[in-house]
Amino acid sequence: MSCHESRAGSTLKARQKAIKIGIIGNPNVGKSVLFNKLTKGKAWVGNWPGVTVEKKVGKLTLDGISFELVDLPGIYGLTAYSQDELIARKFLLEGKPEIVIQVTNAINLERNLYLTIQLLEMGFKLVIALNMADLAEKEGVKIDVDGLRRELRTPIIPTIAVKNFGLNQLIETIKEQLDKPAPFFKIDYGPEIEEAIEKIRRLIDSPIRRLGLKIDPRWLAIRLLEDDNDIVQRLRDMGFEDIVSEARHIRDELQAQLNESVEVLIIEKRYEYLLNLSRKYVRRKTAEKSLTDLTDGLDKVLTHPILGLMVFVSILYLLFKFSFDVASSLTEVIRVTFSQHIHDLVKNSLHPEFISSLFVDGVLNGVGTILIFIPNLLFLFIGISTLEDTGYMARVAFLSDRLMNRLGLSGRAMIPLLIGFGCNVPAVMSTRVLGSDRERRLSVFMIPFMSCSARLPIFLLLTLAFFRENQLIVILSMYFLGVFIAVLTALLFNNLFYRKQVAGYVMDMPPYLNPSIRNILAKSWERIRSFLMKAGTIILLMSVVIWVLSVTGPEGYIGPEALRDVELLSRSWIASFSRFLEPLFKPLNWDWRIIASLSFGFIAKEVVVSSLAVLYNVGVESLPTVLSDSLTPLAAYSLMTFALLYTPCMATVATMRNEVGLRYTLLMVLYQLLIAYTAAYLILSIGGMVI
Amino acid sequence: MRGDKLDNVLPLSVVKEGKTVRIVKIIGGGGLVRRLYEIGLLPGVEVMIVRNSGFGPVIIRNNVSGTFCLGFGVAKKIIVEVVS
Ligand SMILES: Nc1nc2c(ncn2[C@@H]2O[C@H](COP(=O)(O)OP(=O)(O)O)[C@@H](O)[C@H]2O)c(=O)[nH]1
């Protein structure tokens, strides 16, 4: 093979390997919309290594070149102050993106430019999407794009992500940038600081070159002056202890000389620089009917301590009513189609009986359970995404701040708790936006008591069987009980562990915006998909496992008849396991079949209803009738309480483990079992005395 | 204290809605100060108080930073002088 050929081969190879692009920006700039538009929905969600923060990666192919777009968390700077910033920085340093797209908000461009400066100092090839161009125009903000582009030596493309405006030009620009070198960018920090930067730069320059690292030495020097812990640690890990301590020394000297904090001075210089840019290239004139006025007008009511709270409660009520009412008819359609038509079809067309039973009683039951879930979840997610996209969620945080402060939390913790009503898994994941570990742990402890939509089918089923008249009230009482226990839990743990601290926080308040329906649908679909992938497989698997454990037993294979014959079924594995636990639940008067389905509910609460159906050997639709023969209403209420409070599904437990560690998770699991048992017992005994 | 120049200097948390203030100083640990600086809230900068009920979080605004909600604890640590 000639040299020429091998080179051609390697270029081809390089081409086959996708070119990595990072998408970064402040929160609420339209980053998600732009990412979805650029990748045309061809994206997948994973986790960043070592943490549970979602990592969205998408593909984009242009003229045979494939790009891999990585969506980074919404951040203001790269100081590694929060977990999100650490993740973004880790990707920038280690993921080696070829190009970084920064999505900026044209209305407050200056604040966005702080991140721009940091990215340019790091030596990245940057493409700036000047998003929300439409809103900026309405607000009377005029930006001299050409001037700014020349000064920063960085392409700047005005975009309106929701209307696809500017996206083609953005893509063209990305392609053009591929062959260009990164721009030269430097801020003058003044003679004293510059001298110190230069000293440190000379120290690290040659070691870095020797190692062939693609890090800008000047940037590294600045970070060392800013006493950046993460960078210090990285250098130490590479064995540059001496450089680190030498840099410390230089920094201390400088600090003594200037008699002020060096990091503060450096940030001030950056702001000086960008305010100068702003004076030169940004013009603001007061618009007649501006978005700000509209926002302020709405906020007069929506953030009012009393009116605002009333609106919030109404919106919450509407959200749940909307999602359940709209969903219920769809759920019914799915239920009927599934339990009758498809059921019969499969049953009649599959032989032998063993196989047909596996499919009908195992697999199809599982699939049915998953499908019955989707309408509820979908509409709940649509509701939540709408509230997020209009900017209302930030107001919720503002309004809840005082209340949440009593529990030692900031108002922002309200949002994960609300998401918890939909699904505990994303709720636990979204505690990441909270500032301190303490606040995150406290809210993670509260979330499992927020009755997620997986618990609703259990309540629906039992209320249908026992409280047909007062169904809504009984179900609502469950939600309130959950919230009540969550509040007690927060108070308990905050007093026990943290001596009632309160969190300090800073949060962006976006203007109210018309939500984009496509964006909402895309977001909701993304959430549904992650539910399907995380919970769906477990549910399906468990349905089959239950089937297997029901048709086999200590004596061996019993056969599908076991599902129709309680006599036979009581010889199964499931029965032996549950009977083993029966003494423990004697005080609650539970039948082994209830224990069995609740144990499966530990794996996923979604399967409680379907396993009850399997164990009582009826379709879900006739379960209420069967159950009402074997339980009293009080026992049913106590069972609902237990189902509400005991350990959430495996998926939640696994997420919790990632977020707060194994120790706290185990503590939580035990705590919840104890609470659930106690509450169920109290209801049964006190209720028994009253009635 | 009346007539004293220091009379005008007070924590952001007690400033009434609708007033414009200039930041004089931020007290507190490095993390918080850094975060506030990063979003453009640094000494010398003017901000308008959009909402302040006196015992909860404070909403502030200016052209550079946009609109931000500061927790009560944070607002207490920002020392300002009233401009108008
Ligand atoms: N008018 C307008 N709205 C936009 C534009 N880009 C995004 N949005 C809206 O801004 C809000 C925030 O967008 P999102 O992508 O969720 O922000 P992120 O936090 O940066 O990911 C959503 O309601 C979008 O519909 C734009 O260019 N013009």
Side-chain angles (χ1 to χ4, degrees):
Chain A
M1 196 201 287
S2 81
C3 184
H4 181 77
E5 266 171 10
S6 91
R7 185 165 307 147
S10 78
T11 352
L12 197 68
K13 220 174 191 175
R15 286 236 165 156
Q16 275 167 350
K17 201 159 164 262
I19 292 169
K20 219 182 266 180
I21 297 182
I23 300 195
I24 203 166
N26 288 180
N28 298 315
V29 293
K31 196 161 62 69
S32 332
V33 178
L34 197 81
F35 178 85
N36 288 337
K37 292 268 160 106
L38 285 179
T39 56
K40 303 208 171 63
K42 267 183 242 137
W44 59 94
V45 180
N47 281 344
W48 294 98
V51 290
T52 38
V53 177
E54 279 200 346
K55 176 189 187 182
K56 273 200 320 195
V57 183
K59 275 244 176 316
L60 168 72
T61 311
L62 292 173
D63 308 339
I65 311 173
S66 59
F67 294 87
E68 186 181 290
L69 270 69
V70 180
D71 190 26
L72 295 164
I75 53 173
Y76 297 109
L78 290 166
T79 24
Y81 174 63
S82 70
Q83 177 109 43
D84 280 348
E85 286 172 345
L86 267 177
I87 289 169
R89 225 175 55 187
K90 201 168 149 77
F91 172 78
L92 293 174
L93 286 175
E94 295 168 13
K96 304 219 164 44
E98 197 120 333
I99 289 180
V100 176
I101 303 176
Q102 187 195 352
V103 187
T104 59
N105 180 342
I107 306 173
N108 323 104
L109 181 63
E110 291 90 337
R111 184 228 288 166
N112 298 259
L113 285 177
Y114 189 81
L115 185 60
T116 313
I117 289 176
Q118 289 194 315
L119 291 166
L120 288 173
E121 276 189 331
M122 278 180 93
F124 279 108
K125 250 191 258 176
L126 199 61
V127 175
I128 297 175
L130 192 61
N131 197 33
M132 310 245 178
D134 53 337
L135 298 181
E137 192 180 359
K138 264 195 216 150
E139 281 295 283
V141 181
K142 243 188 123 40
I143 296 167
D144 174 3
V145 177
D146 284 329
L148 198 57
R149 179 186 292 153
R150 266 196 307 275
E151 178 125 6
L152 292 175
R153 295 179 205 178
T154 296
I156 302 174
I157 319 295
T159 59
I160 305 170
V162 281
K163 290 182 192 138
N164 285 326
F165 175 83
L167 298 194
N168 284 337
Q169 205 193 340
L170 187 67
I171 291 173
E172 284 306 314
T173 312
I174 294 168
K175 275 198 299 197
E176 281 165 21
Q177 288 301 304
L178 280 179
D179 306 319
K180 292 194 180 151
F184 175 76
F185 179 84
K186 187 176 156 186
I187 288 182
D188 185 359
Y189 287 102
E192 294 92 353
I193 297 179
E194 280 298 334
E195 196 190 319
I197 293 176
E198 187 51 29
K199 268 192 213 158
I200 302 178
R201 195 192 65 79
R202 275 203 298 268
L203 281 178
I204 43 183
D205 198 29
S206 64
I208 281 189
R209 242 168 248 236
R210 219 171 331 120
L211 288 176
L213 297 177
K214 246 184 77 185
I215 303 176
D216 188 274
R218 181 181 157 87
W219 178 75
L220 215 50
I222 298 173
R223 294 319 298 187
L224 283 172
L225 273 186
E226 287 184 86
D227 198 22
D228 184 319
N229 286 330
D230 177 52
I231 292 296
V232 167
Q233 195 54 48
R234 278 167 191 273
L235 286 175
R236 284 209 172 117
D237 291 347
M238 286 192 278
F240 293 140
E241 182 62 52
D242 47 332
I243 294 182
V244 169
S245 61
E246 182 67 20
R248 272 257 151 90
H249 182 65
I250 294 172
R251 177 183 133 86
D252 289 345
E253 267 182 356
L254 180 64
Q255 195 123 314
Q257 185 190 351
L258 296 170
N259 201 17
E260 218 182 315
S261 152
V262 178
E263 27 177 318
V264 167
L265 282 174
I266 289 179
I267 300 178
E268 274 177 356
K269 281 286 180 197
R270 289 197 191 117
Y271 258 96
E272 217 171 86
Y273 174 83
L274 70 83
L275 287 179
N276 187 34
L277 285 182
S278 154
R279 266 191 296 278
K280 286 206 292 216
Y281 304 115
V282 184
R283 290 267 167 277
R284 286 194 167 81
K285 58 174 195 289
T286 12
E288 255 171 40
K289 230 183 86 196
S290 77
L291 193 63
T292 319
D293 292 340
L294 174 75
T295 297
D296 283 356
L298 279 171
D299 269 344
K300 280 231 160 54
V301 177
L302 297 181
T303 63
H304 187 276
I306 297 158
L307 291 178
L309 223 54
M310 281 160 52
V311 174
F312 173 46
V313 171
S314 322
I315 288 183
L316 208 58
Y317 173 77
L318 285 178
L319 170 68
F320 285 109
K321 189 161 170 53
F322 158 77
S323 54
F324 294 138
D325 281 0
V326 181
S328 69
S329 47
L330 269 174
T331 312
E332 210 45 46
V333 172
I334 295 176
R335 203 199 298 277
V336 171
T337 322
F338 236 78
S339 61
Q340 290 167 4
H341 307 318
I342 301 187
H343 232 252
D344 294 346
L345 193 75
V346 175
K347 202 164 205 144
N348 298 332
S349 57
L350 276 177
H351 301 283
E353 199 193 9
F354 170 76
I355 300 286
S356 105
S357 171
L358 170 64
F359 267 91
V360 173
D361 303 317
V363 177
L364 270 189
N365 247 335
V367 175
T369 315
I370 299 166
L371 284 183
I372 278 173
F373 246 102
I374 287 185
N376 263 331
L377 270 187
L378 180 67
F379 288 106
L380 204 64
F381 283 150
I382 288 179
I384 291 172
S385 308
T386 309
L387 292 184
E388 277 174 357
D389 265 27
T390 51
Y392 184 66
M393 280 299 192
R395 274 71 190 182
V396 173
F398 173 82
L399 274 178
S400 344
D401 200 64
R402 276 193 68 208
L403 194 76
M404 301 300 277
N405 268 333
R406 301 240 165 107
L407 307 177
L409 296 166
S410 71
R412 286 182 307 174
M414 186 60 113
I415 294 160
L417 293 181
L418 286 182
I419 297 176
F421 286 120
C423 180
N424 285 185
V425 176
V428 171
M429 276 157 56
S430 64
T431 56
R432 194 157 289 278
V433 296
L434 304 175
S436 66
D437 276 356
R438 184 191 63 87
E439 204 180 343
R440 284 184 43 212
R441 266 181 219 139
L442 271 186
S443 30
V444 167
F445 290 163
M446 292 175 79
I447 288 170
F449 296 115
M450 302 290 126
S451 181
C452 68
S453 44
R455 280 165 252 193
L456 190 64
I458 310 177
F459 302 153
L460 281 176
L461 176 80
L462 287 168
T463 48
L464 209 62
F466 297 96
F467 308 99
R468 210 173 261 274
E469 318 280 79
N470 305 314
Q471 210 182 357
L472 188 67
I473 293 174
V474 172
I475 291 181
L476 277 180
S477 77
M478 282 293 122
Y479 280 91
F480 280 114
L481 182 66
V483 171
F484 178 68
I485 300 278
V487 167
L488 287 186
T489 303
L491 289 176
L492 178 74
F493 282 79
N494 200 28
N495 278 313
L496 220 56
F497 294 155
Y498 305 115
R499 310 186 52 86
K500 301 183 128 189
Q501 297 170 28
V502 172
Y505 73 97
V506 174
M507 180 182 73
D508 180 38
M509 296 290 272
Y512 288 108
L513 290 178
N514 256 337
S516 128
I517 292 174
R518 281 184 60 179
N519 195 34
I520 288 169
L521 290 181
K523 256 191 197 170
S524 310
W525 169 237
E526 217 170 79
R527 286 172 171 162
I528 287 283
R529 204 173 57 169
S530 105
F531 165 80
L532 281 179
M533 299 212 285
K534 282 184 184 133
T537 36
I538 298 179
I539 297 170
L540 200 60
L541 203 69
M542 286 324 298
S543 299
V544 175
V545 169
I546 293 176
W547 180 83
V548 171
L549 293 179
S550 312
V551 299
T552 58
E555 304 153 23
Y557 181 64
I558 308 171
E561 302 82 48
L563 295 174
R564 265 157 297 261
D565 187 342
V566 186
E567 279 299 299
L568 284 175
L569 189 60
S570 66
R571 302 212 307 257
S572 67
W573 281 116
I574 274 213
S576 354
F577 171 71
S578 306
R579 280 209 201 87
F580 173 73
L581 286 179
E582 224 166 24
L584 200 62
F585 290 95
K586 193 89 207 132
L588 300 179
N589 281 329
W590 283 353
D591 178 295
W592 62 270
R593 286 177 290 197
I594 292 176
I595 301 174
S597 26
L598 285 175
S599 333
F600 284 116
F602 178 77
I603 292 153
K605 279 195 173 164
E606 292 84 344
V607 302
V608 171
V609 170
S610 67
S611 47
L612 274 175
V614 172
L615 288 168
Y616 281 91
N617 186 38
V618 288
V620 173
E621 61 289 343
S622 37
L623 202 52
T625 340
V626 178
L627 277 177
S628 59
D629 292 339
S630 57
L631 282 176
T632 66
L634 190 63
Y637 196 76
S638 144
L639 175 60
M640 280 165 67
T641 310
F642 191 89
L644 165 75
L645 300 174
Y646 87 116
T647 320
C649 62
M650 283 273 268
T652 308
V653 173
T655 319
M656 278 172 72
R657 202 200 77 96
N658 283 330
E659 294 295 322
V660 297
L662 188 61
R663 227 160 36 112
Y664 283 102
T665 307
L666 287 180
L667 174 73
M668 230 10 233
V669 168
L670 288 178
Y671 171 77
Q672 287 168 339
L673 279 175
L674 192 73
I675 292 276
Y677 192 93
T678 314
Y681 180 71
L682 284 180
I683 282 174
L684 203 59
S685 50
I686 295 176
M689 276 175 349
V690 173
I691 296 175
Chain B
M1 282 274 278
R2 230 164 211 293
D4 194 327
K5 242 196 146 206
L6 280 177
D7 203 23
N8 258 347
V9 177
L10 65 187
L12 183 70
S13 55
V14 302
V15 181
K16 294 241 156 45
E17 279 174 21
K19 297 256 187 230
T20 300
V21 298
R22 182 180 300 120
I23 298 176
V24 175
K25 184 178 154 80
I26 295 169
I27 28 183
L32 176 69
V33 174
R34 220 183 266 191
R35 164 53 40 89
L36 290 171
Y37 273 40
E38 274 183 356
I39 59 170
L41 300 178
L42 54 174
V45 168
E46 290 187 6
V47 296
M48 208 249 294
I49 316 294
V50 181
R51 210 170 237 307
N52 183 7
S53 52
F55 34 69
V58 180
I59 301 181
I60 53 143
R61 172 184 304 141
N62 72 14
N63 278 340
V64 172
S65 307
T67 311
F68 268 95
C69 171
L70 307 175
F72 187 58
V74 178
K76 271 197 299 201
K77 290 184 179 144
I78 303 180
I79 308 299
V80 299
E81 57 181 336
V82 177
V83 176
S84 65

